[in-house]
């Protein structure tokens, strides 16, 4: 029995939801409301001591980190394969899955500025303190602390976007040389991981996804988004991507159970 | 035929050298002199467009990124296995290999402050410019630029060390619950990856590896360092860890071939 604790259209949640959907695997949908900081509630921290989504629970055992979860799904449920049979393609698949994690930190800055800063501003000082006190990973706590102090500078955000665009340039080159997929001939976990990154930029900096600058990357984007699994994963208004609930104090999360 | 481009005791080089040595695989030793910035020479960038070590070349095909290289070695040369057969152990192996990459950025700050700042200070302004102009990844270029401006603040370095110590706390907990290895019963790529991180702290902040604070982590360290492969990899003065060569201008790297 599979249960997925996730938060809909957050980057890492998208990666695992997409993998499960490509496999056609049924799972229990456990939506974690980040807006109520359920991810740092005591019950969730028992599943995932880093306090991040997603977590896959398979027959009672939690598996954490989106890249590790997707490799686990591939190990446990190998059909249809999302790891290329050719070992050099497989190494490229892992390179791109790794690159998605590597660039995630830069992407998070951009995401926080555009999608989270306002929500952190609206927290009461008491709720900000609860949030900071219960965020277990020091680096993540520091990033949240920056948001409580007004957020990143324009210079920092420009630098983050430069890094993302450098990776997109590398994707353009790789797809033009080897395509149609990032690893080569085979659609793989590497495509799933990077699609979540490109999708976020399509939400917050759509002008950067320029079809004349990135013809091969955008062809790859079209091929990905045409897949039925991607159409479900990236849709809004489904059970897995509910509307944002009304704002409430986050103090209550330490009383209710997930 | 395997060729390993590496730089001895740098973190990612250690990880791949250790994996190859545990497998008993012969390979050509291609030492890349970071002190002469050979990693950003035009010839090396053809192998590894990110300009970082290591790169494994297998029958002419370059494989990049230490984690991807080690998984590739395991795929191509499965004996003796360094990936647990149990799939949940295997997911934990990947979690720790991933964690080594995640914490590497923080570790790099500490390493740069203790082991590289002086060497960057001693570069001529012309050589600093060559180095910055030829470092391809924007985030890495920015980190080098910080070094040319005097380096990180004490506050930034303390924060980096806090993050590393948080991970060591998690290792202590995991080994105490499941040991003797990070994934559980089986020595794996997860141990190899994290050993390189702990080893660096043993070089630059040895007081933090406190046997009373981390009894299980230090038991794990002893078990790792007793392995013949680790004894070779972490030794100095071998062909793979040559003494630092005399300082020269780095301009010459754009003339000679690796």
């Amino acid at each position: 029995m599979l249960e997925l604790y996730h938060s809909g259209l957050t980057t890492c949640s998208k990666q695992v939801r997409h993998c499960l959907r490509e496999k056609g695997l049924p799972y229990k949908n456990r939506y974690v409301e980040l807006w109520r900081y359920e991810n740092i509630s005591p019950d969730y921290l028992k599943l995932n001591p880093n306090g991040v989504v997603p977590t896959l629970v398979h027959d009672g055992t939690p598996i954490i980190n989106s890249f590790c979860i997707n490799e686990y799904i591939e190990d446990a449920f190998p059909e249809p394969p999302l790891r290329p049979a050719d070992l050099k393609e497989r190494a490229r698949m892992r390179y791109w899955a790794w690159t998605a994690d590597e660039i995630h930190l830069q992407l998070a800055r951009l995401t926080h500025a555009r999608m989270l800063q306002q929500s952190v501003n609206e927290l009461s000082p008491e709720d900000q303190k609860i949030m900071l006190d219960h965020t277990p990973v020091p680096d993540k706590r520091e990033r949240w602390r920056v948001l409580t102090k007004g957020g990143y500078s324009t210079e920092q955000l420009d630098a983050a976007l430069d890094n993302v665009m450098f990776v997109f340039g590398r994707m353009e080159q790789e797809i033009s040389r080897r395509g149609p997929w990032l690893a080569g001939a085979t659609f793989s976990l590497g495509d799933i991981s990077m699609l979540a990154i490109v999708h976020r930029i399509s939400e917050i900096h759509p002008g950067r996804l320029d079809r004349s600058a990135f013809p091969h990357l955008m062809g790859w984007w079209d091929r990905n988004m045409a897949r039925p699994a991607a159409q479900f994963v990236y849709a809004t208004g489904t059970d897995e991507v509910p509307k944002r609930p009304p704002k409430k104090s986050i103090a209550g999360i330490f009383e209710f159970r997930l």
Side-chain angles (χ1 to χ4, degrees), chain A residues 92-109:
Chain A
R92 289 198 294 272
M93 169 207 90
R94 289 204 172 98
Y95 176 74
W96 287 105
W98 172 83
T99 298
D101 270 2
E102 176 84 349
I103 202 66
H104 183 259
L105 194 65
Q106 310 278 349
L107 191 77
R109 286 193 171 188

Side-chain angles (χ1 to χ4, degrees), chain A residues 47-201:
Chain A
L47 293 178
N48 186 325
N50 294 336
V52 294
V53 284
T55 300
L56 182 73
V57 179
H58 186 197
D59 295 338
T61 303
I63 314 286
I64 63 175
N65 178 270
S66 60
F67 177 60
C68 304
I69 294 171
N70 280 1
E71 290 256 17
Y72 176 81
I73 293 169
E74 185 70 19
D75 283 339
F77 307 98
E79 296 299 329
L82 295 172
R83 265 193 309 235
D86 177 87
L87 299 186
K88 281 161 184 159
E89 272 204 30
R90 191 176 292 195
R92 289 198 294 272
M93 169 207 90
R94 289 204 172 98
Y95 176 74
W96 287 105
W98 172 83
T99 298
D101 270 2
E102 176 84 349
I103 202 66
H104 183 259
L105 194 65
Q106 310 278 349
L107 191 77
R109 286 193 171 188
L110 300 169
T111 300
H112 290 174
R114 291 286 178 111
M115 303 172 92
L116 274 177
Q117 180 70 62
Q118 187 64 27
S119 146
V120 170
N121 292 348
E122 289 168 3
L123 287 178
S124 68
E126 294 72 27
D127 280 353
Q128 286 190 350
K129 184 172 184 319
I130 290 174
M131 182 264 281
L132 290 173
D133 286 352
H134 290 83
T135 296
V137 178
D139 187 48
K140 196 175 176 215
R141 194 163 56 236
E142 173 58 19
R143 284 184 270 153
W144 284 108
R145 200 188 59 76
V146 169
L147 291 183
T148 65
K149 304 290 180 193
Y152 299 103
S153 67
T154 305
E155 190 183 25
Q156 286 173 314
L157 295 174
D158 287 348
L161 190 54
D162 281 351
N163 276 280
V164 174
M165 297 314 294
F166 174 79
V167 170
F168 287 5
R170 296 289 308 284
M171 292 172 79
E172 173 68 19
Q173 187 179 42
E174 191 77 354
I175 299 164
S176 76
R177 285 165 59 188
R178 277 193 250 267
W181 303 108
L182 282 170
T186 314
F187 175 80
S188 77
L189 298 178
D191 299 297
I192 286 175
S193 289
M194 285 306 306
L195 183 64
I197 306 290
V198 178
H199 180 264
R200 174 53 46 81
I201 295 297

